[in-house]
Amino acid sequence: MLRVSRLTDYATVVMTCIAAHPADVLSTAQIADEARLELPTVSKLLKLLGHAGLVESFRGVNGGYRLARPAEAISLADIVEAMEGPIGMTECSVAQGQCDRQSQCGVSDSWRSVSGAIGGVLRAMTLAQMLAGRPTAPAKDATQVAQANA
Amino acid sequence: MLRVSRLTDYATVVMTCIAAHPADVLSTAQIADEARLELPTVSKLLKLLGHAGLVESFRGVNGGYRLARPAEAISLADIVEAMEGPIGMTECSVAQGQCDRQSQCGVSDSWRSVSGAIGGVLRAMTLAQMLAGRPTAPAKDATQVAQANA
DNA sequence: GAAAACAGTACCATTTTGGTCCGGTATTGA
DNA sequence: TCAATACCGGACCAAAATGGTACTGTTTTC
């Protein structure tokens, strides 16, 4: 199955938990409890999300995490890229020159195009929409357009 | 990186090779040679593609493989699903009831929506378009729509 | 009936993934 | 000042997935 890693899935859960308390700084323990995930796992996730600049961290007593910017300004693509690196469906969609068949390969352009379209789908879904928890219009529109063109 | 497996990538190369000779039945050896892939690997790919009904196989001397239907009627989604199973970005996008947090999980609907949109992107790209080897309009349109809505 | 070519299955090495733990450092507040 | 809280940065390990290969069987042609 074409899918994101389980940690990426967890990361979206964690991010929505944090987004649900916009005013507070939540400790790893609080987040783990709310997301119903193991504490060390959540700790690892938050570390990566922090490096990507999606959450702010505060050390010391009463420390914890908070969104680095409003939930409307964080997309699913941001979260996926924080966890898995650049979005690209094949090796050669991301790193050029890896594949010695590049010159005569007819499919790399197609894959690059598809990767771009999928990136667009992920950018269209914001954390705020995920928090609202209902199927969102933008992604549905993209589906319909793609299907209409198929 | 969010990506398909290398075998799926190879499968698209193999399929375009076969599609490039619509009138012929090609042996595994011929296809491996043209795709510049190892023969046992190509053999494995063709077996899976055959099970999915994307290629027809012929046994015996002068046997080999041929597209089961025109290249216009085979989508990238068909190939990806043949190699990796149903398209879904998370476990719970495909198999219900796996996750005991389903009831209070706010993100599963969003992931399902995104998975649907990505399926649409993959369905919009046909083997004929990949064979033509140029960036295709439909996928680009989907990107633009998604970005416009973001 | 011999050779060509696909079919099915099993196997193994490598990499990735998921998950855990530990020592270090910054902050707070008594 | 100092102890408690909590994040930081690694390292580490077991389990699963992936990629690749080999072998034996069956079908078809000549």
Short mmCIF file of all heavy atoms in Angstrom, two decimals, chain B residues 91-117:
data_model
loop_
_atom_site.label_atom_id
_atom_site.label_comp_id
_atom_site.label_asym_id
_atom_site.label_seq_id
_atom_site.Cartn_x
_atom_site.Cartn_y
_atom_site.Cartn_z
N GLU B 91 -3.07 3.26 7.65
CA GLU B 91 -3.71 1.97 7.87
C GLU B 91 -5.22 2.12 7.81
O GLU B 91 -5.91 1.40 7.10
CB GLU B 91 -3.32 1.42 9.25
CG GLU B 91 -1.86 1.03 9.39
CD GLU B 91 -1.51 -0.19 8.55
OE1 GLU B 91 -2.40 -0.97 8.21
OE2 GLU B 91 -0.30 -0.33 8.21
N CYS B 92 -5.72 3.10 8.55
CA CYS B 92 -7.17 3.19 8.74
C CYS B 92 -7.86 3.78 7.51
O CYS B 92 -9.09 3.84 7.47
CB CYS B 92 -7.50 4.01 9.98
SG CYS B 92 -7.06 5.74 9.87
N SER B 93 -7.08 4.22 6.52
CA SER B 93 -7.71 4.67 5.28
C SER B 93 -8.21 3.48 4.47
O SER B 93 -9.07 3.62 3.62
CB SER B 93 -6.71 5.46 4.43
OG SER B 93 -6.24 6.58 5.12
N VAL B 94 -7.63 2.33 4.73
CA VAL B 94 -7.93 1.14 3.94
C VAL B 94 -8.72 0.12 4.75
O VAL B 94 -9.80 -0.29 4.38
CB VAL B 94 -6.63 0.50 3.42
CG1 VAL B 94 -6.92 -0.82 2.74
CG2 VAL B 94 -5.93 1.45 2.46
N ALA B 95 -8.13 -0.27 5.90
CA ALA B 95 -8.77 -1.31 6.71
C ALA B 95 -9.38 -0.68 7.96
O ALA B 95 -8.69 -0.12 8.80
CB ALA B 95 -7.73 -2.35 7.12
N GLN B 96 -10.68 -0.77 8.07
CA GLN B 96 -11.38 -0.27 9.24
C GLN B 96 -11.14 -1.19 10.43
O GLN B 96 -10.81 -2.35 10.27
CB GLN B 96 -12.88 -0.20 8.98
CG GLN B 96 -13.26 0.78 7.88
CD GLN B 96 -13.34 2.21 8.39
OE1 GLN B 96 -12.85 2.51 9.46
NE2 GLN B 96 -13.96 3.07 7.60
N GLY B 97 -11.30 -0.65 11.62
CA GLY B 97 -11.32 -1.48 12.82
C GLY B 97 -9.96 -1.96 13.29
O GLY B 97 -9.86 -2.66 14.29
N GLN B 98 -8.90 -1.59 12.58
CA GLN B 98 -7.57 -1.97 13.00
C GLN B 98 -7.16 -1.16 14.23
O GLN B 98 -6.45 -1.62 15.09
CB GLN B 98 -6.55 -1.69 11.89
CG GLN B 98 -6.79 -2.48 10.62
CD GLN B 98 -6.25 -3.88 10.70
OE1 GLN B 98 -5.77 -4.31 11.74
NE2 GLN B 98 -6.32 -4.62 9.60
N CYS B 99 -7.67 0.08 14.25
CA CYS B 99 -7.18 1.05 15.23
C CYS B 99 -8.23 1.25 16.31
O CYS B 99 -9.35 1.66 16.04
CB CYS B 99 -6.87 2.37 14.52
SG CYS B 99 -6.38 3.70 15.61
N ASP B 100 -7.84 0.96 17.56
CA ASP B 100 -8.81 1.06 18.65
C ASP B 100 -9.09 2.50 19.05
O ASP B 100 -9.89 2.75 19.92
CB ASP B 100 -8.31 0.26 19.86
CG ASP B 100 -6.90 0.67 20.25
OD1 ASP B 100 -6.27 1.39 19.48
OD2 ASP B 100 -6.44 0.25 21.32
N ARG B 101 -8.38 3.43 18.39
CA ARG B 101 -8.62 4.84 18.71
C ARG B 101 -9.58 5.48 17.71
O ARG B 101 -9.87 6.66 17.80
CB ARG B 101 -7.29 5.61 18.69
CG ARG B 101 -6.37 5.20 19.80
CD ARG B 101 -5.03 5.92 19.70
NE ARG B 101 -4.11 5.18 18.87
CZ ARG B 101 -3.27 4.27 19.32
NH1 ARG B 101 -3.26 3.97 20.59
NH2 ARG B 101 -2.46 3.63 18.51
N GLN B 102 -10.03 4.67 16.77
CA GLN B 102 -10.87 5.16 15.67
C GLN B 102 -11.94 6.14 16.12
O GLN B 102 -12.12 7.20 15.54
CB GLN B 102 -11.54 3.96 14.99
CG GLN B 102 -12.22 4.30 13.68
CD GLN B 102 -11.36 3.95 12.50
OE1 GLN B 102 -10.75 2.91 12.46
NE2 GLN B 102 -11.30 4.83 11.53
N SER B 103 -12.64 5.77 17.20
CA SER B 103 -13.81 6.55 17.60
C SER B 103 -13.45 8.00 17.96
O SER B 103 -14.14 8.93 17.58
CB SER B 103 -14.50 5.88 18.79
OG SER B 103 -13.58 5.71 19.86
N GLN B 104 -12.33 8.16 18.68
CA GLN B 104 -12.00 9.54 19.07
C GLN B 104 -10.89 10.15 18.22
O GLN B 104 -10.34 11.18 18.56
CB GLN B 104 -11.64 9.60 20.55
CG GLN B 104 -10.47 8.73 20.90
CD GLN B 104 -10.80 7.62 21.86
OE1 GLN B 104 -10.61 7.79 23.02
NE2 GLN B 104 -11.24 6.47 21.43
N CYS B 105 -10.57 9.48 17.11
CA CYS B 105 -9.50 9.98 16.26
C CYS B 105 -10.04 11.01 15.27
O CYS B 105 -10.89 10.71 14.44
CB CYS B 105 -8.85 8.83 15.49
SG CYS B 105 -7.61 9.38 14.31
N GLY B 106 -9.54 12.21 15.39
CA GLY B 106 -10.06 13.29 14.55
C GLY B 106 -9.41 13.37 13.19
O GLY B 106 -9.88 14.10 12.33
N VAL B 107 -8.35 12.63 12.96
CA VAL B 107 -7.61 12.83 11.72
C VAL B 107 -7.92 11.79 10.64
O VAL B 107 -7.57 11.97 9.49
CB VAL B 107 -6.08 12.83 11.96
CG1 VAL B 107 -5.69 13.93 12.92
CG2 VAL B 107 -5.59 11.48 12.43
N SER B 108 -8.62 10.71 11.00
CA SER B 108 -8.81 9.63 10.04
C SER B 108 -9.63 10.08 8.84
O SER B 108 -9.35 9.70 7.70
CB SER B 108 -9.45 8.41 10.70
OG SER B 108 -10.74 8.73 11.18
N ASP B 109 -10.63 10.92 9.07
CA ASP B 109 -11.44 11.41 7.96
C ASP B 109 -10.60 12.25 7.01
O ASP B 109 -10.73 12.15 5.78
CB ASP B 109 -12.62 12.23 8.47
CG ASP B 109 -13.72 11.36 9.05
OD1 ASP B 109 -13.74 10.15 8.73
OD2 ASP B 109 -14.54 11.88 9.83
N SER B 110 -9.74 13.06 7.56
CA SER B 110 -8.88 13.90 6.73
C SER B 110 -7.95 13.04 5.88
O SER B 110 -7.77 13.28 4.69
CB SER B 110 -8.06 14.84 7.61
OG SER B 110 -8.91 15.67 8.35
N TRP B 111 -7.36 12.03 6.50
CA TRP B 111 -6.47 11.15 5.76
C TRP B 111 -7.22 10.42 4.66
O TRP B 111 -6.70 10.22 3.57
CB TRP B 111 -5.80 10.13 6.69
CG TRP B 111 -4.54 10.62 7.35
CD1 TRP B 111 -4.31 10.73 8.69
CD2 TRP B 111 -3.33 11.04 6.70
NE1 TRP B 111 -3.05 11.20 8.92
CE2 TRP B 111 -2.42 11.40 7.73
CE3 TRP B 111 -2.93 11.15 5.37
CZ2 TRP B 111 -1.13 11.86 7.45
CZ3 TRP B 111 -1.64 11.61 5.10
CH2 TRP B 111 -0.76 11.96 6.13
N ARG B 112 -8.44 10.03 4.96
CA ARG B 112 -9.21 9.32 3.93
C ARG B 112 -9.47 10.23 2.75
O ARG B 112 -9.37 9.84 1.58
CB ARG B 112 -10.53 8.80 4.51
CG ARG B 112 -10.91 7.41 4.01
CD ARG B 112 -12.31 6.98 4.47
NE ARG B 112 -12.57 7.31 5.86
CZ ARG B 112 -12.13 6.60 6.89
NH1 ARG B 112 -11.41 5.52 6.70
NH2 ARG B 112 -12.40 6.97 8.13
N SER B 113 -9.80 11.47 3.06
CA SER B 113 -10.04 12.46 2.00
C SER B 113 -8.79 12.67 1.14
O SER B 113 -8.83 12.68 -0.10
CB SER B 113 -10.48 13.77 2.64
OG SER B 113 -10.44 14.82 1.71
N VAL B 114 -7.66 12.79 1.81
CA VAL B 114 -6.39 12.99 1.11
C VAL B 114 -6.05 11.76 0.26
O VAL B 114 -5.62 11.88 -0.89
CB VAL B 114 -5.25 13.29 2.11
CG1 VAL B 114 -3.89 13.16 1.46
CG2 VAL B 114 -5.43 14.67 2.70
N SER B 115 -6.27 10.59 0.82
CA SER B 115 -5.99 9.37 0.07
C SER B 115 -6.81 9.31 -1.20
O SER B 115 -6.32 8.91 -2.26
CB SER B 115 -6.29 8.13 0.94
OG SER B 115 -5.44 8.10 2.06
N GLY B 116 -8.07 9.72 -1.09
CA GLY B 116 -8.94 9.74 -2.26
C GLY B 116 -8.42 10.68 -3.33
O GLY B 116 -8.41 10.37 -4.52
N ALA B 117 -7.96 11.83 -2.89
CA ALA B 117 -7.45 12.82 -3.84
C ALA B 117 -6.19 12.31 -4.54
O ALA B 117 -6.01 12.51 -5.75
CB ALA B 117 -7.16 14.13 -3.11
#
